[in-house]
Amino acid sequence: MRHQRQLTRHTATVAATLACLLLAACSAGSTADGNADSPDKTSDTLKIGLTAEPANLDFTKTAGAAIPQALLYNVYQNLVKLDQSGKMQPELATSWTLSKDRKTYTFQLVKDAEFSNGAPFTAEDAKFSIERVKSDWTISLKSQMDVVDTVQAVSPTELKVTLKEPSNDWLYRMTTRLGAMFSRTGVGKLATEPVGTGPYTVKKWNRGDSITLARRDDYWGREPHFASVTLKYFKDPTAMNNALLTGTINMIGQMQSPDALDQFKSNSKYKVVEGSTNGEVVLSLNNGSGPMRNPKVRQAVRYAIDHKALVDTCWAGYGKPIGSMVAPTDPWYQDLTNEYPYDRSKARQLLEESGEAGRTLRLRIPTLPYATACGTVVKSQLEQAGFKVKLDQLEFPAAWLSTVFKNADYDMSIIGHVEPRDIQAVFGDKTYYTRYDNPQFRALLKKADRGTQEEQTTYMREAARLLSRDAAADWLFLLPNLMVADKGITGLPVNSVSESLDLTGLSRS
Amino acid sequence: MIVRLMQRIAILLASLVVSSVMVFAFMAVLPGDPARVALGTSASDTAVAQLREEFGLDRPLVVQYFNWVQGLLTFDPGNSYISQAPIGPQIADRLLVTLWLVVTGMVLACILAIPMGTLMAVRHRRPSGLILSALSQVGVAVPAFLAGILLITVFAVGLGWLPANGWTPPAEDPVLFLKQLVLPALSLGMVQAAMLTRYVRSAVLDVLREDYLRTARAKGLRPTQALLRHGLRNAAVPVVTVLGLHLATLLVGAVVIERVFVIPGLGSLLLDSVSNRDLIMVQDVVMIIAMAVLLVNFLVDVAYLVIDPRLRVGGAS
């Protein structure tokens, strides 16, 4: 009897161990995590609920939106930053001028800025930071700084940057993580101890739970209202909503379940804010191989999608239809939603003409909330227009990145391209996973980058229209910036137009 | 007794070695190069090679295995590929969180289950016993996460008595710690209690039918006295076995509760590491869980020797 019991128990032990291994191996798509601190006791602390926790704090070596969201403008500062309407504002530079040949930028820098390690900020640090992108950064975005030719610290407060060729885009990129200013003596432990000139420092990081930023006493500029801001990470949208409802957090910085907004809208304790973002939710099409090479099939796809019905079903009606790869906060935005108005019979006809009607299209989507929500709707709309669609869900990030993004082994996918001004990155490189290869389009982008501001606007508009006409992809909608906060919180960054969740303007009335 | 104990220790050590080889081999045959995964899709081959060297991934597997075991034995398993932070403290922090949760849940389960199970056994033919029995049946059918969601809806969002989720270390704010512990521990504990009650009931029923209990009654003890003095200790052996088993599975099983209540425990660390492809972290966490399971079983074995004097003699059998 006892032996039998022991046997059973050991079998169970082995089974439990195996279960662990299986769990590890099968790489479950969903995850646990996040968590809480105490409800606020003093009026000058703030707790914000967010979705994606950074894996580490070094955005020079780790890609993704999570690290700059927490650190940029708050811990790190740039020479220039973007405000809520997407306009460029001075930060560590007080002013700048552009030479006649449009190749040399001269920046006048602030005098009294200091890094959190005590070192003063000078033009030498700016030179160091810009040159370091080329020498030390590993993320693919670094190529946006390739246009820099020489950087010269003329005096402690004057910096001269010469480009290889004129580029409007370069100055814009200086507002992103690429333009973050590092201390020459503060880059030893970027993954865990970031050093910047910003008003906050990273005080505490409870991994799997939260990052707490503390206001610097020795900050050189205007001090922000909150002495401490805790960014709490929730994998589960319902848990985040409950945390706000029970006072564990004061604000939801990124609403992932728009259908839950009503419970906050009807409650006078909260304010709901709907703004714009740079996140184009793209139904990306493989322009390089398979049935999607055929322009008629791509056009048929665009005619077959009913965007209004789609947004209503999968994102609770929040989200603006855009029609091309330009966010409404960019100066050259134009409404291109009428290039391919919803027309099922036209879609059917184009599909017939293409000769690809019998082919099964692989819609391979990542396991992300908006993609899984919209994937089934896209599939059913396409099927109603005569397409044959097979829907695969690939675990995000690892499986989706290697299958779709790296190997372009797909016909269609759904992904939110959240980087600012990413029309060039997504469609200007024929080796990118969209495999869009149009020399005319690339020439327009180049002309826009080199030209004056008016020329830039004209050519960017032309490029966006060409992209839309070519049906290089279908743009499902623009991700809305949905925030919910306690009524008293003011200065919410309504539009998410930069890479940063800018905490410096937040206050409490 | 000593021989028995030595046997148990030998079994424990052998199981540890076997499971470490299994875990290591399993991670080694998984497709995908951890260094490339860590650096992302856009990394150059030289950067990948550099990282492979840094992590020792270019060395023979046997060397890697012994380096890994050495790291574990010296409590210095190195740094994570992804977060670049030391692994040891992270696992220790998360393990502590999960242990708080699981042990509190288990204690709650025992407090509820032992008296209830005994009562059900003693009154197994009376209506009160039957009602309790039916209730526990329902309890077994309810998954812990559902219990958790219901508890949140009623006590946190509805009544506002307790926080809906979150975790605070006890040293930081003991009151808040307890408040946040109540609901998750209850959801784990209630479901465990329901299961445990049924084991206690059947164990006590078995004991009630034993000759020695009749003898005790014949000596003049009342049924309750007889049961308390002679019965419960005997009934404890199967119950402790079940407890040990459950404790081990709960370490992993708590992951669902950790998710519902947003608690940064070991299970969520494992899932996060899996989705980030932080393979060295996964390997270490799985090994820690395997070790915990084996250790709990070892302790259950030792507990037998303490509870049941009959097992202490005749060690050579």
mmCIF file of all heavy atoms in Angstrom, chain A residues 85-87 172 326-334 421 453 456-458 460-461:
data_model
loop_
_atom_site.group_PDB
_atom_site.id
_atom_site.type_symbol
_atom_site.label_atom_id
_atom_site.label_comp_id
_atom_site.label_asym_id
_atom_site.label_seq_id
_atom_site.Cartn_x
_atom_site.Cartn_y
_atom_site.Cartn_z
ATOM 1 N N SER A 85 0.784 68.952 -30.301
ATOM 2 C CA SER A 85 0.221 69.061 -31.639
ATOM 3 C C SER A 85 1.207 68.586 -32.701
ATOM 4 O O SER A 85 0.963 68.739 -33.889
ATOM 5 C CB SER A 85 -0.191 70.513 -31.897
ATOM 6 O OG SER A 85 0.931 71.344 -31.705
ATOM 7 N N GLY A 86 2.329 68.014 -32.254
ATOM 8 C CA GLY A 86 3.302 67.499 -33.206
ATOM 9 C C GLY A 86 4.273 68.556 -33.697
ATOM 10 O O GLY A 86 5.010 68.328 -34.642
ATOM 11 N N LYS A 87 4.282 69.744 -33.048
ATOM 12 C CA LYS A 87 5.204 70.806 -33.459
ATOM 13 C C LYS A 87 6.508 70.699 -32.695
ATOM 14 O O LYS A 87 6.554 70.262 -31.551
ATOM 15 C CB LYS A 87 4.579 72.176 -33.178
ATOM 16 C CG LYS A 87 3.410 72.490 -34.072
ATOM 17 C CD LYS A 87 3.310 73.997 -34.308
ATOM 18 C CE LYS A 87 2.191 74.299 -35.280
ATOM 19 N NZ LYS A 87 0.862 73.961 -34.703
ATOM 20 N N TYR A 172 13.796 66.028 -37.417
ATOM 21 C CA TYR A 172 12.638 65.392 -36.799
ATOM 22 C C TYR A 172 13.081 64.199 -35.956
ATOM 23 O O TYR A 172 12.607 64.003 -34.839
ATOM 24 C CB TYR A 172 11.637 64.954 -37.880
ATOM 25 C CG TYR A 172 10.440 64.273 -37.296
ATOM 26 C CD1 TYR A 172 9.408 65.023 -36.742
ATOM 27 C CD2 TYR A 172 10.358 62.888 -37.245
ATOM 28 C CE1 TYR A 172 8.321 64.409 -36.171
ATOM 29 C CE2 TYR A 172 9.281 62.266 -36.674
ATOM 30 C CZ TYR A 172 8.266 63.023 -36.143
ATOM 31 O OH TYR A 172 7.188 62.413 -35.561
ATOM 32 N N VAL A 326 0.039 57.989 -43.312
ATOM 33 C CA VAL A 326 0.358 59.285 -42.711
ATOM 34 C C VAL A 326 -0.600 59.530 -41.551
ATOM 35 O O VAL A 326 -1.807 59.353 -41.679
ATOM 36 C CB VAL A 326 0.225 60.429 -43.739
ATOM 37 C CG1 VAL A 326 0.506 61.763 -43.073
ATOM 38 C CG2 VAL A 326 1.178 60.212 -44.898
ATOM 39 N N ALA A 327 -0.037 59.922 -40.393
ATOM 40 C CA ALA A 327 -0.870 60.206 -39.225
ATOM 41 C C ALA A 327 -1.461 61.606 -39.355
ATOM 42 O O ALA A 327 -0.818 62.506 -39.901
ATOM 43 C CB ALA A 327 -0.036 60.093 -37.960
ATOM 44 N N PRO A 328 -2.690 61.830 -38.857
ATOM 45 C CA PRO A 328 -3.361 63.131 -39.008
ATOM 46 C C PRO A 328 -2.607 64.295 -38.373
ATOM 47 O O PRO A 328 -2.863 65.450 -38.714
ATOM 48 C CB PRO A 328 -4.698 62.920 -38.302
ATOM 49 C CG PRO A 328 -4.890 61.455 -38.248
ATOM 50 C CD PRO A 328 -3.539 60.844 -38.209
ATOM 51 N N THR A 329 -1.670 64.029 -37.453
ATOM 52 C CA THR A 329 -0.927 65.117 -36.823
ATOM 53 C C THR A 329 0.289 65.536 -37.653
ATOM 54 O O THR A 329 0.978 66.490 -37.298
ATOM 55 C CB THR A 329 -0.466 64.709 -35.413
ATOM 56 O OG1 THR A 329 -0.062 63.341 -35.445
ATOM 57 C CG2 THR A 329 -1.569 64.893 -34.402
ATOM 58 N N ASP A 330 0.560 64.819 -38.745
ATOM 59 C CA ASP A 330 1.663 65.230 -39.610
ATOM 60 C C ASP A 330 1.202 66.329 -40.559
ATOM 61 O O ASP A 330 0.053 66.315 -41.003
ATOM 62 C CB ASP A 330 2.190 64.032 -40.408
ATOM 63 C CG ASP A 330 3.079 63.137 -39.555
ATOM 64 O OD1 ASP A 330 3.696 63.677 -38.614
ATOM 65 O OD2 ASP A 330 3.130 61.932 -39.816
ATOM 66 N N PRO A 331 2.077 67.285 -40.896
ATOM 67 C CA PRO A 331 1.655 68.464 -41.674
ATOM 68 C C PRO A 331 1.113 68.091 -43.054
ATOM 69 O O PRO A 331 0.338 68.854 -43.629
ATOM 70 C CB PRO A 331 2.946 69.275 -41.825
ATOM 71 C CG PRO A 331 3.918 68.715 -40.857
ATOM 72 C CD PRO A 331 3.481 67.354 -40.484
ATOM 73 N N TRP A 332 1.520 66.971 -43.611
ATOM 74 C CA TRP A 332 1.098 66.633 -44.974
ATOM 75 C C TRP A 332 -0.045 65.629 -44.994
ATOM 76 O O TRP A 332 -0.283 64.962 -45.984
ATOM 77 C CB TRP A 332 2.267 66.111 -45.791
ATOM 78 C CG TRP A 332 3.154 65.186 -45.027
ATOM 79 C CD1 TRP A 332 2.990 63.852 -44.866
ATOM 80 C CD2 TRP A 332 4.326 65.538 -44.315
ATOM 81 N NE1 TRP A 332 3.969 63.346 -44.097
ATOM 82 C CE2 TRP A 332 4.822 64.349 -43.739
ATOM 83 C CE3 TRP A 332 5.014 66.745 -44.093
ATOM 84 C CZ2 TRP A 332 5.974 64.347 -42.955
ATOM 85 C CZ3 TRP A 332 6.155 66.716 -43.314
ATOM 86 C CH2 TRP A 332 6.624 65.541 -42.756
ATOM 87 N N TYR A 333 -0.748 65.516 -43.886
ATOM 88 C CA TYR A 333 -1.874 64.576 -43.863
ATOM 89 C C TYR A 333 -2.973 65.022 -44.807
ATOM 90 O O TYR A 333 -3.278 66.196 -44.934
ATOM 91 C CB TYR A 333 -2.446 64.458 -42.451
ATOM 92 C CG TYR A 333 -3.694 63.606 -42.406
ATOM 93 C CD1 TYR A 333 -3.604 62.221 -42.488
ATOM 94 C CD2 TYR A 333 -4.958 64.186 -42.329
ATOM 95 C CE1 TYR A 333 -4.730 61.435 -42.478
ATOM 96 C CE2 TYR A 333 -6.094 63.406 -42.324
ATOM 97 C CZ TYR A 333 -5.976 62.023 -42.404
ATOM 98 O OH TYR A 333 -7.101 61.244 -42.411
ATOM 99 N N GLN A 334 -3.540 64.087 -45.550
ATOM 100 C CA GLN A 334 -4.710 64.363 -46.380
ATOM 101 C C GLN A 334 -5.617 63.133 -46.287
ATOM 102 O O GLN A 334 -5.152 62.021 -46.084
ATOM 103 C CB GLN A 334 -4.285 64.600 -47.826
ATOM 104 C CG GLN A 334 -3.598 63.361 -48.409
ATOM 105 C CD GLN A 334 -2.799 63.617 -49.665
ATOM 106 O OE1 GLN A 334 -3.192 64.439 -50.475
ATOM 107 N NE2 GLN A 334 -1.687 62.923 -49.832
ATOM 108 N N ARG A 421 6.194 59.006 -38.258
ATOM 109 C CA ARG A 421 6.639 59.218 -39.644
ATOM 110 C C ARG A 421 7.380 57.998 -40.193
ATOM 111 O O ARG A 421 8.561 58.059 -40.525
ATOM 112 C CB ARG A 421 7.517 60.467 -39.723
ATOM 113 C CG ARG A 421 6.730 61.677 -39.279
ATOM 114 C CD ARG A 421 7.352 62.978 -39.665
ATOM 115 N NE ARG A 421 6.559 64.069 -39.078
ATOM 116 C CZ ARG A 421 6.935 65.322 -39.039
ATOM 117 N NH1 ARG A 421 8.096 65.673 -39.564
ATOM 118 N NH2 ARG A 421 6.162 66.236 -38.514
ATOM 119 N N GLN A 453 10.367 73.385 -46.783
ATOM 120 C CA GLN A 453 9.198 72.869 -46.074
ATOM 121 C C GLN A 453 7.998 72.686 -46.995
ATOM 122 O O GLN A 453 7.266 71.697 -46.895
ATOM 123 C CB GLN A 453 8.843 73.794 -44.912
ATOM 124 C CG GLN A 453 9.525 73.331 -43.651
ATOM 125 C CD GLN A 453 9.046 74.069 -42.432
ATOM 126 O OE1 GLN A 453 8.110 74.859 -42.479
ATOM 127 N NE2 GLN A 453 9.696 73.813 -41.316
ATOM 128 N N GLN A 456 8.579 69.753 -49.170
ATOM 129 C CA GLN A 456 8.421 68.528 -48.379
ATOM 130 C C GLN A 456 6.945 68.122 -48.319
ATOM 131 O O GLN A 456 6.591 66.982 -48.585
ATOM 132 C CB GLN A 456 8.965 68.746 -46.965
ATOM 133 C CG GLN A 456 8.943 67.482 -46.120
ATOM 134 C CD GLN A 456 9.397 67.716 -44.689
ATOM 135 O OE1 GLN A 456 9.351 68.825 -44.174
ATOM 136 N NE2 GLN A 456 9.848 66.650 -44.050
ATOM 137 N N THR A 457 6.087 69.100 -47.995
ATOM 138 C CA THR A 457 4.658 68.814 -47.894
ATOM 139 C C THR A 457 4.102 68.313 -49.229
ATOM 140 O O THR A 457 3.396 67.307 -49.282
ATOM 141 C CB THR A 457 3.913 70.076 -47.443
ATOM 142 O OG1 THR A 457 4.500 70.511 -46.219
ATOM 143 C CG2 THR A 457 2.449 69.805 -47.234
ATOM 144 N N THR A 458 4.455 68.995 -50.311
ATOM 145 C CA THR A 458 3.939 68.609 -51.625
ATOM 146 C C THR A 458 4.346 67.183 -51.983
ATOM 147 O O THR A 458 3.504 66.359 -52.358
ATOM 148 C CB THR A 458 4.505 69.553 -52.706
ATOM 149 O OG1 THR A 458 4.377 70.885 -52.229
ATOM 150 C CG2 THR A 458 3.781 69.381 -54.018
ATOM 151 N N MET A 460 5.529 64.760 -50.043
ATOM 152 C CA MET A 460 5.030 63.740 -49.116
ATOM 153 C C MET A 460 3.589 63.387 -49.464
ATOM 154 O O MET A 460 3.184 62.222 -49.400
ATOM 155 C CB MET A 460 5.110 64.235 -47.661
ATOM 156 C CG MET A 460 6.501 64.289 -47.066
ATOM 157 S SD MET A 460 7.432 62.770 -47.188
ATOM 158 C CE MET A 460 6.670 61.791 -45.919
ATOM 159 N N ARG A 461 2.789 64.420 -49.817
ATOM 160 C CA ARG A 461 1.402 64.147 -50.202
ATOM 161 C C ARG A 461 1.346 63.254 -51.423
ATOM 162 O O ARG A 461 0.570 62.298 -51.493
ATOM 163 C CB ARG A 461 0.674 65.467 -50.486
ATOM 164 C CG ARG A 461 0.354 66.199 -49.215
ATOM 165 C CD ARG A 461 -0.793 67.152 -49.403
ATOM 166 N NE ARG A 461 -1.176 67.619 -48.081
ATOM 167 C CZ ARG A 461 -1.529 68.857 -47.802
ATOM 168 N NH1 ARG A 461 -1.588 69.761 -48.765
ATOM 169 N NH2 ARG A 461 -1.857 69.192 -46.583
#
